Amino acid sequence: MDAAGDQDLKLQRKSADLLSDLEASLSRCLWEPGVELNARWLIERRQVERLLEPFQEWPQLLDPSLGTLLPPIVNAFIENLGAGHRSRTKRKRTGLAMGIVSCRYATCKLLYMFCKIRGQRVVSRFLNHEPRYFEPMLLAFRRWDAQLAAAEDTSDPIDQSLTWEERYVILLWLSQLLLAPFDIASISSAEMSWDEESLGMDLDDPQGLVWSAKYLTSLALKYIGSASKERESAQYILIRLSTRPDLQKAGLTDSLMRWAISSLSSDVQGDQRLSIYHHVGVLGYLSKVLQSFGHELASKYVSVVYHMAQAIASGQTAIHVGITSSALGRKALIKLFRTVACVSLAASSQPSPMTSLSTSSEVLEEVIEYLLLALADRETPVRYAASKAIGVVTVRLDQLWARDVVQAILESLAEDTIRTSAFADQKSHEDQSRSSDQALDQLDFTAVNAVRWHGLILTLARLLLYRSPPPEQLPEILEFLILALQFEQRTSTRSSIGANVRDAACFGIWALSRKYSTVELLSLDISKLRTARWYNDTISVQQILAIELVVAACLDPIGNIRRGASAALQELIGRHPDTILAGISIVQVVDYHAVALRSRAIVEVAVGASNLGALYWVALVNGLLGWRGLRSSDTGSRRAAAIGVGILSNVSNDGPSQAEALIDTVSVIMANLQARQVEEKHGMLLSMSAILDAVSSPSSATPCMEHINASTEDTVSTYVHARILRAALGALDKVTDRDFTSSVFHPELIAEAACQLVCAVSRFLDPVLKDGTLQPLPIYTEVVPATIAASTRILTGAFRRSDKEVIGASSKAAEALFHLLDEESRTKFVNTWALQVEHDSDKKGKTSTNRIAYLHALGAVFHWTTNGRNTDLLEDSSELEAPKRLIDALLSNTSPGVAIEVRIAALQSLANGVIAYNVTRPTWSGNEYLSTIFSILGNSITHSLYMCLDDYTIDSRGDIGSLVRLQAINAISLVLKTDVARNVLLKDNRKQSVLSRVVRLSAEKMDKVRVQAVACLHEAFVHFHPSLLDTLYAPDNAYKDASADEI
């Protein structure tokens, strides 16, 4: 649910230190340029990678330091160009061992790291572009290539193949050097020659080419089909060669274009079989080279390229089908279609003798149709490419064509959507909120294609960024953007999909805020927006967008979307000032970094935003009641949302009536839930308990509890208090026995939430209870008995579960139930539960789910059996019946032969519920009563502890008896900390018997047991021999804390 932390903020704060360390590490990597580097490079390279890796999320932070970091690397590579033979001879003469790397490899590896982080376009600006290095670099690459081929069988690391990082960087550098503004023959030696007979790859060999052009062409053709990054460098080299005027005159451009088009119709060239990567590389080359050509040259090839692309898209041959079956192939084909459309538009706008195909609108129609279909592609990179292509093409169209493209996208969004009449989840709040009896139209997303919606919304965002849609189309666009911001689908496994749709919606709202003026947005008629019907007529479009973005930033389950919504909100308020309620304040509250953690966004940010206006409060409450909150598929998110609902119910100034409205809304939602909607039911029950706790808390802003405390009868607050209570009881009545037994309906969720609601109802009834009896308020004469009956039924079902969360919640619910009972009823419950435990204890060696739950419940309610008792007791007094029966039930489940899990539960209840209860209550009035009980049952308690300290049970899981020993040591520690238990249970020879066993366990082989036993001995010295602490070793506080955490 939550992110690991706000890494971006940490990176921004530490970037200066990281860059300083990075500069120092780079200097050590290149400590002796021009010769081989020893194994120290391996260590420093890992340091450089570790320092660079955090910048992948925020690469712009590197920009100020690139001018300092990159030149030393570039200079080291240049110095190494002419030193290859000398350094090689030196290495052979010195006979250095394995682990040596070349300066060439080191510099290329470092440059590739920066290209990966910051991008090759930025890094290439820092490469040395002097033409005098063109031929030396080309000769060095040729020499390395020849040497490596000759030394293929050697085991020397220097003589191994060039890595793909080296080839990528060197080829990229050569493509930059080809930008020299004069003939390539002027920077090539005339005496050099090309030994090969042809360029290869069935490429026509133009006459009159210098050796460097031939060699570069052969290199590019060789690596154009590479599966790694060299393919991009090879594309850039072919583009540079194709666009050079001197090589165009020599016929190289025509030869390359003919080769590229023909190679897409065959998977074999010569004796070499072409892979999909070759076809992807060729498509990328054609797309980029057409963009680089001038108008006349592009017009020459656009027709044949278009026909070829159309043949591939239609799958005319098996090779074409193979290209379109690959996501890389489809993405490259989309980029080629985009280029063809842009070239056609440019050609039609300039008077020149063009073919009818290039100037006709058929090309644009077919290209746009193909791109629209590609928006539903199953691969995300393909959809991104298609949306960008539509945006690039549409921005070049005239207004009429652009309107048609936008309308086609809007019509596609409307397909397969169903308008349903949905209940508005929240009652009206002043004049600016939703009405509880209002039935509104809402889109049902169950039938739509989430992948297609992502592509369409992303395209709308691109069009808005290019300002292609006219203002009159904005209302319908806004409608779909707001709906996309709420998009969510559930799969058959109840998992949520649609996050990419919401992310694209944030991008669209950001683009809209950036490209359209305040006047244009204010002039929009919001009556055309169905979503605006939630609000009154005076609200602006900017305010509607701000409300939706606040809800998304606070409640969305995906961290990137919360941040995206926060960024869009900041852009909206910054670009359109004075149009949004509490604009500056809302930006400060809904901060980009504050919403990183979802729990913080729900509990803190949402509350801060709701305090800024009723509009935000209503929207956030409705959001929490929906799929982003209480109906979320994530259990942790529902728990956090319930806490948020409880806090927000206490924020409003409407007093208890607002809490009553929220309770009523939740009740209506629960009444409409189907049996299979267990997660939603779990969220609603949790929200009810949170609302009751918020209203009954001492810091509650509502005056309801004050009137109840004053025993004021027939007041409005008393009536509201009773209504809230009846609504909560109604929710408990909807929890049936099937909710606890059917594994299909996740009984652990319902049991946990129902027990929490029982606890909340009990705390809610505190003001009407006095000394355990009901105050004279007739309105509660039926409510309290009904609460007891419902709580009893809920506990009976919850005790069937052994889940950790359910056991903890049921124990608290049992304690809450005893708060409502009189002494006689408490005794009856203790006897019933003890009888259940004793009945199950006959099943030796078997784990009983009921037994574990009942044991924890007995420990939780022990203090209620002693509350208000007479301290002048006799051993045979009837007042001892309940506590004695309770302790006997616990002790009976600590004996050997009982399942380990049950023994652990019994020891935990005995320690935390019985022995240590008054540790946190030093002024508890039952201390004398407890002392009497311990004096009666002391032998039984200590005997049980003896047996547990000596438990060494072993089964297939190992020494599972160590778990029992740990719990027994914990119980002894609590006895030592409790004055009453220590003075009674550890008197006479009991102390020696217990502590001798603890001493033995302090030398235990198992770490956890040994550490816990040492801490227990330290506690014993504190109370019995404090003078010895100065001479004996005792763990310090930090060590004890660490041990406790470990245990």
Side-chain angles (χ1 to χ4, degrees):
M1 182 184 73
D2 285 341
D6 196 349
Q7 299 297 330
D8 289 351
L9 184 59
K10 295 179 181 178
L11 175 61
Q12 190 175 8
R13 292 172 177 173
K14 296 182 178 180
S15 60
D17 295 335
L18 290 175
L19 290 172
S20 177
D21 294 341
L22 180 60
E23 186 175 355
S25 296
L26 286 177
S27 64
R28 291 192 293 269
C29 284
L30 304 172
W31 66 289
E32 192 178 351
V35 298
E36 289 83 1
L37 306 178
N38 61 14
R40 179 180 181 181
W41 148 256
L42 301 176
I43 300 174
E44 295 299 335
R45 190 194 73 180
R46 295 189 187 100
Q47 174 73 0
V48 172
E49 290 178 343
R50 184 185 65 82
L51 293 172
L52 277 175
E53 185 177 359
F55 290 96
Q56 292 193 48
E57 294 295 329
W58 208 331
Q60 292 84 356
L61 292 175
L62 281 174
D63 289 353
S65 301
L66 289 179
T68 304
L69 298 173
L70 291 178
I73 306 175
V74 173
N75 294 335
F77 181 86
I78 291 176
E79 290 183 25
N80 183 250
L81 283 178
H85 177 73
R86 183 176 68 254
S87 63
R88 177 181 169 85
T89 304
K90 179 180 178 181
R91 175 192 47 74
K92 288 185 175 180
R93 184 170 60 250
T94 54
L96 294 177
M98 294 289 290
I100 298 174
V101 297
S102 65
C103 182
R104 177 197 70 229
Y105 172 79
T107 52
C108 290
K109 181 69 176 179
L110 292 173
L111 288 174
Y112 169 72
M113 290 182 192
F114 281 97
C115 288
K116 181 180 68 172
I117 301 295
R118 193 59 189 95
Q120 58 89 13
R121 292 186 180 181
V122 176
V123 175
S124 61
R125 296 202 302 262
F126 295 91
L127 302 177
N128 195 313
H129 296 164
E130 297 182 56
R132 64 193 177 103
Y133 294 117
F134 171 72
E135 190 171 69
M137 187 176 298
L138 198 59
L139 289 172
F141 190 90
R142 185 180 181 184
R143 181 177 65 252
W144 292 327
D145 206 19
Q147 289 176 352
L148 298 175
E152 198 173 37
D153 298 330
T154 182
S155 60
D156 197 308
I158 298 296
D159 290 334
Q160 296 304 313
S161 303
L162 279 169
T163 63
W164 64 267
E165 294 103 328
E166 294 175 84
R167 292 193 295 268
Y168 168 71
V169 171
I170 297 173
L171 292 177
L172 178 64
W173 203 333
L174 287 170
S175 70
Q176 295 296 312
L177 292 173
L178 281 173
L179 294 173
F182 30 80
D183 291 350
I184 194 173
S186 62
I187 55 176
S188 301
S189 300
E191 63 272 11
M192 297 296 298
S193 61
W194 175 248
D195 299 331
E196 302 293 336
E197 295 182 359
S198 65
L199 298 178
M201 283 286 193
D202 296 338
L203 180 67
D204 298 336
D205 193 358
Q207 299 298 319
L209 288 180
V210 296
W211 79 271
S212 57
K214 290 184 178 181
Y215 183 60
L216 278 173
T217 304
S218 66
L219 283 179
L221 296 179
K222 178 180 178 181
Y223 294 113
I224 193 70
S226 174
S228 54
K229 296 284 287 185
E230 308 105 292
R231 183 175 67 248
E232 296 181 11
S233 298
Q235 289 177 357
Y236 286 120
I237 287 180
L238 288 179
I239 292 168
R240 302 288 190 265
L241 292 172
S242 301
T243 54
R244 290 188 65 86
D246 53 336
L247 298 181
Q248 290 177 3
K249 293 178 182 179
L252 181 60
T253 301
D254 292 336
S255 297
L256 288 174
M257 292 298 293
R258 287 193 299 269
W259 162 82
I261 294 172
S262 63
S263 67
L264 291 172
S265 302
S266 173
D267 61 348
V268 177
Q269 286 192 351
D271 58 350
Q272 182 179 359
R273 177 168 292 276
L274 304 179
S275 65
I276 182 62
Y277 299 106
H278 174 84
H279 295 125
V280 170
V282 173
L283 287 172
Y285 160 69
L286 288 174
S287 174
K288 294 174 183 176
V289 79
L290 283 178
Q291 298 178 34
S292 304
F293 282 159
H295 167 64
E296 182 177 352
L297 193 59
S299 302
K300 177 181 177 181
Y301 297 109
V302 67
S303 177
V304 64
V305 170
Y306 170 70
H307 282 299
M308 179 271 302
Q310 206 174 30
I312 296 175
S314 59
Q316 293 182 358
T317 65
I319 299 172
H320 296 162
V321 173
I323 294 174
T324 55
S325 63
S326 168
L328 287 175
R330 296 194 300 274
K331 181 179 177 181
L333 187 60
I334 287 172
K335 291 183 178 180
L336 183 57
F337 271 122
R338 181 189 71 188
T339 303
V340 167
C342 293
V343 171
S344 299
L345 285 170
S348 62
S349 63
Q350 298 189 18
S352 62
M354 297 292 300
T355 61
S356 59
L357 177 64
S358 299
T359 58
S360 67
S361 61
E362 296 179 3
V363 175
L364 295 176
E365 291 178 357
E366 294 178 0
V367 168
I368 292 175
E369 181 181 1
Y370 177 81
L371 295 177
L372 288 174
L373 293 175
L375 293 177
D377 194 278
R378 63 182 180 274
E379 301 295 338
T380 301
V382 179
R383 297 196 299 273
Y384 273 104
S387 65
K388 183 177 180 179
I390 292 177
V392 171
V393 173
T394 306
V395 76
R396 290 171 169 80
L397 298 174
D398 58 34
Q399 195 64 33
L400 183 60
W401 274 70
R403 185 193 302 271
D404 292 341
V405 172
V406 175
Q407 190 60 37
I409 295 173
L410 295 175
E411 291 174 357
S412 299
L413 285 169
E415 294 177 4
D416 299 327
T417 55
I418 304 172
R419 293 278 177 181
T420 60
S421 179
F423 176 77
D425 293 328
Q426 177 57 36
K427 286 191 173 182
S428 59
H429 191 287
E430 298 179 358
D431 296 327
Q432 301 173 323
S433 63
R434 313 174 185 184
S435 175
S436 62
D437 58 353
Q438 185 181 13
L440 300 177
D441 287 339
Q442 166 177 308
L443 276 184
D444 184 3
F445 297 116
T446 55
V448 304
N449 186 346
V451 170
R452 189 185 185 197
W453 257 66
H454 172 240
L456 293 170
I457 295 297
L458 187 62
T459 305
L460 278 182
R462 288 281 184 183
L463 294 174
L464 290 170
L465 184 63
Y466 297 138
R467 198 181 161 81
S468 296
E472 53 268 22
Q473 285 187 312
L474 289 182
E476 194 171 359
I477 293 175
L478 284 171
E479 176 76 16
F480 283 107
L481 287 178
I482 294 174
L483 291 172
L485 200 60
Q486 307 165 4
F487 187 93
E488 194 240 11
Q489 281 185 345
R490 295 286 177 89
T491 64
S492 57
T493 58
R494 303 294 293 165
S495 60
S496 177
I497 59 176
N500 49 6
V501 179
R502 303 195 299 276
D503 186 57
C506 292
F507 175 37
I509 297 176
W510 178 88
L512 175 74
S513 306
R514 190 176 184 88
K515 293 299 180 178
Y516 291 85
S517 66
T518 303
V519 176
E520 289 174 322
L521 294 182
L522 288 175
S523 63
L524 298 180
D525 185 7
I526 65 171
S527 62
K528 298 180 181 180
L529 295 177
R530 290 179 179 267
T531 52
R533 294 170 57 188
W534 292 108
Y535 310 97
N536 60 26
D537 297 335
T538 61
I539 196 169
S540 65
V541 170
Q542 291 94 325
Q543 185 64 65
I544 295 175
L545 292 176
I547 293 172
E548 298 296 338
L549 289 173
V550 167
V551 174
C554 294
L555 307 182
D556 199 277
I558 307 299
N560 285 340
I561 298 174
R562 293 196 299 274
R563 287 179 158 183
S566 176
L569 178 65
Q570 182 177 354
E571 188 73 19
L572 176 67
I573 294 175
R575 297 277 179 174
H576 308 279
D578 302 327
T579 60
I580 296 169
L581 176 65
I584 301 300
S585 300
I586 200 70
V587 167
Q588 293 173 341
V589 172
V590 190
D591 181 67
Y592 179 85
H593 300 291
V595 297
L597 299 179
R598 192 182 184 194
S599 56
R600 179 184 177 187
I602 293 176
V603 176
E604 298 180 17
V605 179
V607 173
S610 65
N611 286 326
L612 298 176
L615 285 171
Y616 303 120
W617 185 92
V618 172
L620 287 168
V621 168
N622 280 276
L624 286 171
L625 294 177
W627 66 268
R628 286 181 280 204
L630 300 178
R631 301 188 186 190
S632 173
S633 58
D634 178 64
T635 303
S637 299
R638 293 195 299 272
R639 294 187 180 118
I643 296 174
V645 170
I647 297 175
L648 289 179
S649 68
N650 205 18
V651 169
S652 174
N653 295 324
D654 287 357
S657 61
Q658 189 58 55
E660 177 193 7
L662 279 175
I663 288 286
D664 290 344
T665 301
V666 173
S667 300
V668 173
I669 295 175
M670 283 193 63
N672 295 327
L673 292 178
Q674 300 178 9
R676 59 180 175 81
Q677 294 179 292
V678 179
E679 296 169 342
E680 290 83 348
K681 191 174 185 179
H682 173 250
M684 298 304 160
L685 289 172
L686 290 177
S687 68
M688 277 198 172
S689 61
I691 294 172
L692 264 64
D693 285 338
V695 175
S696 60
S697 65
S699 59
S700 174
T702 63
C704 175
M705 310 312 294
E706 298 176 1
H707 292 295
I708 298 299
N709 286 327
S711 300
T712 305
E713 194 172 354
D714 298 329
T715 63
V716 175
S717 295
T718 302
Y719 172 77
V720 172
H721 187 273
R723 278 207 58 187
I724 294 175
L725 192 57
R726 288 195 181 100
L729 293 177
L732 289 176
D733 291 338
K734 291 182 176 62
V735 179
T736 62
D737 292 339
R738 186 178 63 172
D739 292 326
F740 299 105
T741 56
S742 177
S743 59
V744 178
F745 296 123
H746 297 285
E748 69 279 0
L749 297 179
I750 301 301
E752 174 206 359
C755 288
Q756 288 195 21
L757 185 55
V758 168
C759 297
V761 170
S762 176
R763 289 188 292 268
F764 197 70
L765 280 171
D766 275 344
V768 299
L769 293 173
K770 186 175 183 180
D771 298 329
T773 60
L774 196 64
Q775 288 189 15
L777 296 177
I779 198 170
Y780 295 105
T781 54
E782 298 178 359
V783 173
V784 174
T787 302
I788 295 174
S791 301
T792 304
R793 182 174 56 84
I794 295 297
L795 281 174
T796 303
F799 284 157
R800 301 171 187 168
R801 307 299 309 171
S802 61
D803 309 272
K804 182 179 179 181
E805 293 81 4
V806 178
I807 289 178
S810 62
S811 300
K812 294 178 181 178
E815 185 178 0
L817 172 63
F818 269 55
H819 177 57
L820 305 176
L821 299 175
D822 54 24
E823 293 184 9
E824 182 180 356
S825 299
R826 292 169 185 166
T827 302
K828 290 181 180 179
F829 271 97
V830 168
N831 291 333
T832 302
W833 293 352
L835 183 64
Q836 181 68 36
V837 169
E838 292 168 356
H839 173 73
D840 285 342
S841 65
D842 295 336
K843 306 171 184 178
K844 300 294 184 182
K846 296 183 179 180
T847 300
S848 173
T849 299
N850 286 14
R851 221 190 318 176
I852 295 176
Y854 279 116
L855 287 171
H856 282 280
L858 286 173
V861 303
F862 172 76
H863 69 281
W864 286 108
T865 64
T866 61
N867 191 24
R869 301 283 186 172
N870 184 8
T871 57
D872 186 15
L873 297 172
L874 299 175
E875 284 193 24
D876 57 349
S877 173
S878 59
E879 295 189 12
L880 286 174
E881 177 186 355
K884 284 180 61 178
R885 187 69 184 275
L886 189 153
I887 295 177
D888 287 338
L890 296 178
L891 295 178
S892 66
N893 283 273
T894 62
S895 58
V898 180
I900 292 295
E901 293 80 2
V902 177
R903 298 184 70 187
I904 293 173
L907 283 171
Q908 288 176 341
S909 297
L910 181 66
N912 300 325
V914 178
I915 296 175
Y917 182 78
N918 65 335
V919 172
T920 57
R921 298 168 177 81
T923 60
W924 184 44
S925 60
N927 283 342
E928 297 181 11
Y929 185 86
L930 188 62
S931 177
T932 304
I933 295 176
F934 283 160
S935 63
I936 298 172
L937 301 175
N939 289 330
S940 300
I941 295 175
T942 52
H943 178 70
S944 296
L945 293 178
Y946 295 161
M947 292 188 298
C948 292
L949 289 171
D950 295 335
D951 191 296
Y952 287 90
T953 305
I954 298 177
D955 65 1
S956 59
R957 293 173 290 179
D959 184 9
I960 58 173
S962 63
L963 301 176
V964 178
R965 298 198 300 274
L966 278 173
Q967 292 299 330
I969 294 172
N970 180 56
I972 298 298
S973 299
L974 293 175
V975 169
L976 292 169
K977 294 178 182 178
T978 309
D979 294 337
V980 175
R982 184 177 65 252
N983 295 333
V984 177
L985 297 180
L986 296 183
K987 66 180 181 179
D988 301 332
N989 59 347
R990 294 176 186 169
K991 178 175 66 174
Q992 181 179 358
S993 300
V994 170
L995 294 182
S996 63
R997 288 172 168 81
V998 176
V999 170
R1000 185 196 71 231
L1001 293 175
S1002 65
E1004 176 86 27
K1005 184 171 67 174
M1006 295 192 69
D1007 294 340
K1008 291 184 177 180
V1009 177
R1010 185 173 65 253
V1011 171
Q1012 186 79 338
V1014 170
C1016 181
L1017 283 179
H1018 177 265
E1019 195 68 37
F1021 279 119
V1022 169
H1023 295 288
F1024 296 120
H1025 303 287
S1027 59
L1028 294 178
L1029 289 178
D1030 296 333
T1031 57
L1032 295 177
Y1033 168 77
D1036 57 272
N1037 291 335
Y1039 181 70
K1040 287 197 295 182
D1041 292 342
S1043 303
D1045 292 340
E1046 181 184 0
I1047 293 168

